[in-house]
Amino acid sequence: MKLKTVKNSGRGGALCRRDAFTLAECLAAMVFMAIVIPVAVQALHVASLAGQVAARKGEAARVADRVLNQSLVMSNWNNGPQSGTITEGAEQFRWKLGSESWQNGSMQLLTADVTFAAQGHDYSVSMSTLASVPSQTNSMATMQ
């Protein structure tokens, strides 16, 4: 910053000093702001997305847990792949339930995949558990 000395013609020619920014300093400050502001806005956007995805992943994990528990209790998991939509609050979660044989064949691996959207992108959460394959004799005995 430069100090300018100006002769004041109003009072007997006394000198006064006036502080001011030069044109180069003003341009440099504007260039700096033109770089910093978009970067700061992008950082806020990324932080907002991360917070939103984290919150919805927690909700999606609860939905996956609920889907797995309900299918185990109702024993409908061995009827083939299932899917649906659950609305929790203002958000919708799409889920799919599938099963596949576990290592020795006496158990099934149940997997619930829950998909949700956050700021225009899809994200998913998967949760799995093991379930015993119901035998024909056990299911008939419980029916009678």
Side-chain angles (χ1 to χ4, degrees):
M1 184 162 45
K2 293 185 178 182
L3 297 177
K4 294 184 179 180
T5 305
V6 178
K7 188 172 182 179
N8 189 351
S9 59
R11 293 199 178 175
L15 296 179
C16 69
R17 294 187 313 158
R18 191 179 305 173
D19 295 338
F21 290 107
T22 64
L23 177 62
E25 289 171 331
C26 290
L27 291 176
M30 288 173 48
V31 167
F32 179 73
M33 294 303 287
I35 294 170
V36 169
I37 289 175
V39 170
V41 168
Q42 183 64 25
L44 288 173
H45 176 73
V46 169
S48 170
L49 177 63
Q52 192 175 40
V53 169
R56 292 207 184 139
K57 274 192 176 186
E59 293 173 2
R62 285 190 294 275
V63 167
D65 185 50
R66 189 177 336 137
V67 166
L68 284 174
N69 286 333
Q70 285 178 354
S71 66
L72 286 172
V73 168
M74 297 176 66
S75 299
N76 63 353
W77 55 267
N78 55 354
N79 295 337
Q82 300 172 18
S83 63
T85 302
I86 292 179
T87 301
E88 185 142 327
E91 306 302 326
Q92 286 195 336
F93 297 92
R94 297 178 311 276
W95 61 270
K96 292 180 188 175
L97 181 68
S99 65
E100 59 186 72
S101 294
W102 187 243
Q103 296 168 350
N104 63 5
S106 66
M107 301 284 283
Q108 289 283 316
L109 178 68
L110 300 179
T111 303
D113 294 314
V114 179
T115 306
F116 60 94
Q119 293 187 7
H121 298 291
D122 283 344
Y123 298 90
S124 66
V125 171
S126 294
M127 192 174 287
S128 299
T129 190
L130 288 174
S132 169
V133 177
S135 63
Q136 294 286 1
T137 58
N138 287 344
S139 61
M140 295 244 183
T142 56
M143 293 176 124
Q144 296 175 352

